[in-house]
Amino acid sequence: MEDKIVVKNLNLYFDTLAVLRSINLNIKANEILSIIGPANSGKTSFLRTLNRLNDLIPTARITGEVLLDGLDIYKKDLSLPWLRRKVGMVFALPVPLPRSIFENIVYGPRLNGVTNKLRLEELTEKTLKAAFLWDEVKDRLHTSGTKLSGGQQQRLCIARTLALEPEVILLDEPCSGLDPLSTSKIEEALYELKKQYTIVLVTNNTKQAARVGDNVAFFLMGDLIEYGSTEQIFTVPSDKRTEDYITGRFG
Amino acid sequence: MLKPILLEKLVKKILFVGTAITVFILFFIIFYILKNGLAVIDMEFLLSSPKDLGRAGGIFPCIVGTIVLSLIAILIATPLGVGAAIYLTEYTRKGRLISIIRFFTECLSGIPSIIFGLFGFVLFVVYLGFGWSILSGGLTTAFMLLPTIIRTSEEAIKAVPDYYREVSLSLGGTKWQTIVKVVLPSALPGIATGIILGIARSIEETAVVIFTAGSVLHLPTSLFDSCRTMSVHFYILAREGISMENAYGTAAVLIITILLINMFAYWLMHRLIAKYS
């Protein structure tokens, strides 16, 4: 399979603190890459280098290359809105904007200039279905998104990201605050979504990585320790630290 | 040493007394003014011109002057102040320069209004040649309001959680789209509070207006006309012993106006909060 994202020798610093060190990683199209590792390993920071959300941090400094379909996303004059529509993101904390479910979904498309009401309604239905939320909210699309339950809010956030019609979806511990039922619904959605999208999933839950990931990358203290197929990482990890982590000896 | 449980009771009593005194003073002032003023107020008082320097007749020109002057002040101070607040919070990074600007803005809000009045007199009335006019008064009052509006807007904008900004940016929003669609709507109740306070202050302002808009008692017909606002009218009536009755009547109208504005502000804020949260 072709590489959707190629990360070459990526270093990320906050001030003088090295958060990521010489990361080399290829992310294949239409796969789910799970990123696992203990807290403060740089998983989230890595994810945020892929849509340049780290740019918001004044002290962040980056070296190396991130190529999306061969295009360096850190090149000068690159349009950030364009990049962030191609590389959508779902945050750990579900944050519906304080507006209706429908308005949440169409927020991105509207910013991109889609005004046709019919088109926006189509998008809403399509994305909510893909996020397995349609049946639960189809009768109250114009009520506030903040009134939904935590699990529903997170699926709304996924649908909202899908409405951008991205090519890559970054998920930052999307199930960290959710109950097992909501988690399984989201995993089910991810499984369907990878047919169309490339998915990078940061998770603290190694079992989740084993369940949904095609490939796994293990981060520790800013280093990429090991990368391999899910099967290989969870059965015959080549690095002792990976084995210790996935068997629960630390982290 | 008092036992914690006794201290608890004592503290509660002291705080209650403090609150009671505050509320009592407030109600006493309002009651006293209204008691003395309401008797004078009728349609004629509100809608006719003063006669004999204000001993007789109404305060219609003063009401018009007050409204127009406050309107100018708020229409100028709001975009400038909110704009400055947006710039300071969203477009600058924390640094020495910003701290200095912030420090001076705060100092500015502590400057007595009579000094703003003098400044407005020198700049608008004399140097720019606007004369004693509603325009000079409105502009000067706007300057006086700026620090308050900047400060309250800044606080309101800073209180908008960062994750709203991140979500909007991650959905392909530009910085400006994010500010307009997410940050300002969420900050609106706080910004509105600052503006409403500004309106009230511009209505009650006396020193600035005497220096810059003058105290002519006729009905203003252009922005370059001098005018006498209700506060100034009250001051002159009371100070020069022209008519205490009509002074109280003017004061009552002033207080009622400010009460109405505050009530409207609360109503508006609750609506905005209901809409955006």
Side-chain angles (χ1 to χ4, degrees), chain B residues 56-75:
Chain B
I59 56 166
F60 185 62
C62 305
I63 295 179
V64 173
T66 306
I67 291 173
V68 177
L69 191 141
S70 300
L71 210 63
I72 294 176
I74 216 71
L75 287 181

Side-chain angles (χ1 to χ4, degrees), chain B residues 16-219:
Chain B
F16 171 76
V17 171
T19 312
I21 291 175
T22 317
V23 172
F24 174 75
I25 293 174
L26 183 72
F27 274 94
F28 181 72
I29 294 174
I30 294 177
F31 171 77
Y32 186 77
I33 302 280
L34 291 183
K35 181 175 146 305
N36 287 292
L38 281 181
V40 189
I41 300 177
D42 52 22
M43 284 320 268
E44 205 209 325
F45 186 73
L46 293 176
L47 294 179
S48 71
S49 285
K51 295 183 189 83
D52 195 11
L53 293 177
R55 275 185 198 91
I59 56 166
F60 185 62
C62 305
I63 295 179
V64 173
T66 306
I67 291 173
V68 177
L69 191 141
S70 300
L71 210 63
I72 294 176
I74 216 71
L75 287 181
I76 291 170
T78 301
L80 277 181
V82 175
I86 293 172
Y87 181 76
L88 287 174
T89 46
E90 301 286 325
Y91 284 91
T92 57
R93 290 178 174 174
K94 286 183 196 86
R96 175 158 270 182
L97 183 67
I98 296 310
S99 318
I100 293 173
I101 293 178
R102 211 158 268 155
F103 175 73
F104 279 110
T105 323
E106 242 153 80
C107 290
L108 216 56
S109 62
I111 292 179
S113 60
I114 198 158
I115 299 198
F116 276 102
L118 185 64
F119 167 78
F121 175 75
V122 172
L123 179 65
F124 298 118
V125 178
V126 180
Y127 184 72
L128 292 177
F130 295 166
W132 279 299
S133 62
I134 297 186
L135 187 62
S136 302
L139 288 168
T140 315
T141 309
F143 281 179
M144 189 193 75
L145 298 181
L146 271 178
T148 318
I149 291 184
I150 293 177
R151 201 79 194 109
T152 45
S153 305
E154 245 193 304
E155 290 307 321
I157 291 172
K158 271 198 263 177
V160 177
D162 266 339
Y163 48 69
Y164 281 160
R165 294 182 181 85
E166 289 195 348
V167 163
S168 172
L169 292 170
S170 79
L171 292 171
T174 61
K175 190 163 193 161
W176 181 241
Q177 288 172 328
T178 300
I179 290 170
V180 172
K181 302 209 172 227
V182 177
V183 177
L184 289 184
S186 301
L188 207 52
I191 294 175
T193 314
I195 295 171
I196 299 293
L197 282 174
I199 295 177
R201 272 191 72 189
S202 70
I203 285 177
E204 74 201 12
E205 184 49 45
T206 315
V208 164
V209 180
I210 290 182
F211 266 97
T212 55
S215 58
V216 172
L217 249 183
H218 66 97
L219 187 68

Side-chain angles (χ1 to χ4, degrees), chain A residues 52-88:
Chain A
R52 289 189 57 178
L53 218 51
N54 282 328
D55 288 23
L56 296 181
I57 300 165
T59 58
R61 198 162 55 78
I62 203 158
T63 64
E65 274 185 324
V66 179
L67 306 176
L68 174 70
D69 292 325
L71 175 81
D72 180 8
I73 65 167
Y74 281 90
K75 79 171 175 134
K76 262 192 184 161
D77 307 329
L78 182 108
S79 155
L80 291 181
W82 174 86
L83 172 69
R84 289 168 185 158
R85 278 194 286 272
K86 282 213 156 200
V87 184

